[in-house]
Amino acid sequence: MALSISIYFLLIFLSHFPSSHAEPFIGVNYGQVADNLPPPSETVKLLQSTSIQKVRLYGADPAIIKALAGTGVGIVIGAANGDVPSLASDPNAATQWINSNVLPFYPASKIMLITVGNEILMSNDPNLVNQLLPAMQNVQKALEAVSLGGKIKVSTVNSMTVLGSSDPPSSGSFAAGYQTGLKGILQFLSDTGSPFAINPYPFFAYQSDPRPETLAFCLFEPNAGRVDSKTGIKYTNMFDAQVDAVHSALKSMGFEKVEIVVAETGWASRGDANEVGASVDNAKAYNGNLIAHLRSMVGTPLMPGKPVDTYIFALYDENLKPGPSSERAFGLFKTDLSMVYDVGLAKSSSSSQVRY
């Protein structure tokens, strides 16, 4: 009897530590701005060979959603910025969106979150900004009408420029120009238990401050650290500093209990001659050490003990993306399904391969 009780408590203890094959906090962005992507069925096989447990889509591609059915992989789908005006003005449009993009697939396909728009607050389009919250509300009501309210969350994705202050992290606050629009959105997220989605990129922070000590700070490599002058907390990596700045901004608005989700973060493996830091070695170091950091379950200084759900950008290089060369070089995998570099995500590989 005593032995069985001991085994019971051992199982309870072990259940609190995720295996490397089931890490619900590690996701990946599956972008499709390319003309050479493998078919969804092959991509699903690739995902199943890794410990990636969540996939974020920028739209709601039915072939991909259907291919993920029965895999247990969590799915984030997106309503495009161009859909926001109709979703905001017509509840029937939201109903039709759910009828087309969710109901044919759920629950076999594990849709968890719908992102309404991408970086809309930073679009400088006041009409679109004003339509964002009504669009989110109508999508929420459409989910509730089919008894999916609470089972599938609704949010929107923001870039780090939504912050007016981020250094030190404890002084994090939203830019004055966004606070009015954000207040209603944050209240919505709080009321529905939905996350605040943000896109922190230490890669871009390093490009604006290309010193060796900044690179080490961005890559989770040994460095002197940076002390928050208000709290005395020493930060040893940029990711934690950026996420905690967002937490502080939420707290300053009275919404510190709203969960943060990192909708995008990553590092380019190549770039143009003037794009400092874009290399395979740096990309491998950033993503590999980020994954090790998440696996450590240490959390961030202001949110200890729990890894932030993080979607790495991106699954594949996307050869049709506009802009500098780096925009087409964020993939963890090549479109022939081979690794660009190994960050220990394969189920057969060990996380001990990763420096941290």
Side-chain angles (χ1 to χ4, degrees), residues 1 13 36 55 82 88 105-106 112 134-135 161 168 176 179-180 182 192 201 218 234 266-267 276 315 317-318 321 355:
M1 181 68 177
F13 176 77
N36 59 349
V55 171
F105 313 106
Y106 185 90
M112 309 176 306
T161 56
Q179 288 188 15
T180 301
L182 271 171
T192 59
Y201 274 94
C218 288
K234 179 188 280 191
W267 200 285
V276 62
L315 184 58
D317 285 346
E318 295 174 78
K321 289 198 77 173
R355 293 171 295 157

Side-chain angles (χ1 to χ4, degrees), residues 174 186-187 189-190 194-196 243-260 302-304:
F174 294 110
L186 292 175
Q187 188 63 59
L189 299 178
S190 178
S194 299
F196 183 80
V243 171
D244 273 358
V246 175
H247 176 73
S248 296
L250 290 170
K251 185 176 181 179
S252 73
M253 296 275 284
F255 294 100
E256 66 178 302
K257 292 185 178 179
V258 171
E259 180 187 357
I260 297 169
L302 296 184
M303 295 180 290

Side-chain angles (χ1 to χ4, degrees), residues 160 166-169 200-203 205-206 213-228 233-245 262 265 267 285-294 296 298-303 308 310 355-356:
M160 286 294 289
S166 60
D167 188 23
Y201 274 94
F203 173 68
Y206 172 63
E213 57 266 35
T214 302
L215 182 61
F217 188 65
C218 288
L219 296 181
F220 300 83
E221 294 184 333
N223 64 90
R226 298 182 182 182
V227 177
D228 186 316
I233 293 170
K234 179 188 280 191
Y235 283 83
T236 57
N237 67 82
M238 178 70 77
F239 179 84
D240 281 356
Q242 290 185 323
V243 171
D244 273 358
V262 172
T265 190
W267 200 285
Y286 177 73
N287 285 318
N289 291 333
L290 169 65
I291 290 164
H293 183 54
L294 295 171
S296 75
V298 70
T300 71
L302 296 184
M303 295 180 290
V308 176
T310 299
R355 293 171 295 157
Y356 182 64

Side-chain angles (χ1 to χ4, degrees), residues 16-258:
H16 285 79
F17 293 85
S19 77
S20 62
H21 293 186
E23 295 162 339
F25 42 80
I26 295 177
V28 69
N29 286 268
Y30 183 173
Q32 295 173 266
V33 188
D35 61 7
N36 59 349
L37 296 178
S41 59
E42 292 300 309
T43 295
V44 170
K45 289 178 185 176
L46 173 65
L47 289 169
Q48 290 180 304
S49 73
T50 74
S51 54
I52 294 167
Q53 289 291 298
K54 298 179 180 179
V55 171
R56 178 184 169 217
L57 308 178
Y58 289 85
D61 187 307
I64 296 173
I65 298 171
K66 188 174 182 179
L68 287 164
T71 63
V73 173
I75 308 167
V76 179
I77 60 174
N81 291 7
D83 294 332
V84 167
S86 64
L87 292 173
S89 62
D90 184 4
N92 290 328
T95 298
Q96 184 55 49
W97 199 94
I98 296 299
N99 288 346
S100 298
N101 299 304
V102 175
L103 295 187
F105 313 106
Y106 185 90
S109 296
K110 191 179 172 184
I111 299 169
M112 309 176 306
L113 176 67
I114 298 170
T115 56
V116 179
N118 190 50
E119 300 188 352
I120 279 182
L121 291 178
M122 293 96 245
S123 68
N124 296 318
D125 182 339
N127 289 327
L128 201 58
V129 170
N130 291 334
Q131 291 168 324
L132 178 56
L133 178 56
M136 294 169 68
Q137 291 169 328
N138 281 340
V139 170
Q140 177 70 25
K141 290 173 185 174
L143 286 170
E144 290 170 356
V146 291
S147 301
L148 292 179
K151 295 179 181 177
I152 299 175
K153 305 294 187 181
V154 177
S155 190
T156 189
V157 180
N158 305 278
S159 79
M160 286 294 289
T161 56
V162 75
L163 296 185
S165 173
S166 60
D167 188 23
S170 62
S171 71
S173 62
F174 294 110
Y178 300 133
Q179 288 188 15
T180 301
L182 271 171
K183 190 169 185 181
I185 290 171
L186 292 175
Q187 188 63 59
F188 170 88
L189 299 178
S190 178
D191 291 344
T192 59
S194 299
F196 183 80
I198 192 78
N199 296 341
Y201 274 94
F203 173 68
F204 296 122
Y206 172 63
Q207 289 193 318
S208 65
D209 179 18
R211 295 176 295 163
E213 57 266 35
T214 302
L215 182 61
F217 188 65
C218 288
L219 296 181
F220 300 83
E221 294 184 333
N223 64 90
R226 298 182 182 182
V227 177
D228 186 316
S229 57
K230 291 187 175 182
T231 63
I233 293 170
K234 179 188 280 191
Y235 283 83
T236 57
N237 67 82
M238 178 70 77
F239 179 84
D240 281 356
Q242 290 185 323
V243 171
D244 273 358
V246 175
H247 176 73
S248 296
L250 290 170
K251 185 176 181 179
S252 73
M253 296 275 284
F255 294 100
E256 66 178 302
K257 292 185 178 179
V258 171

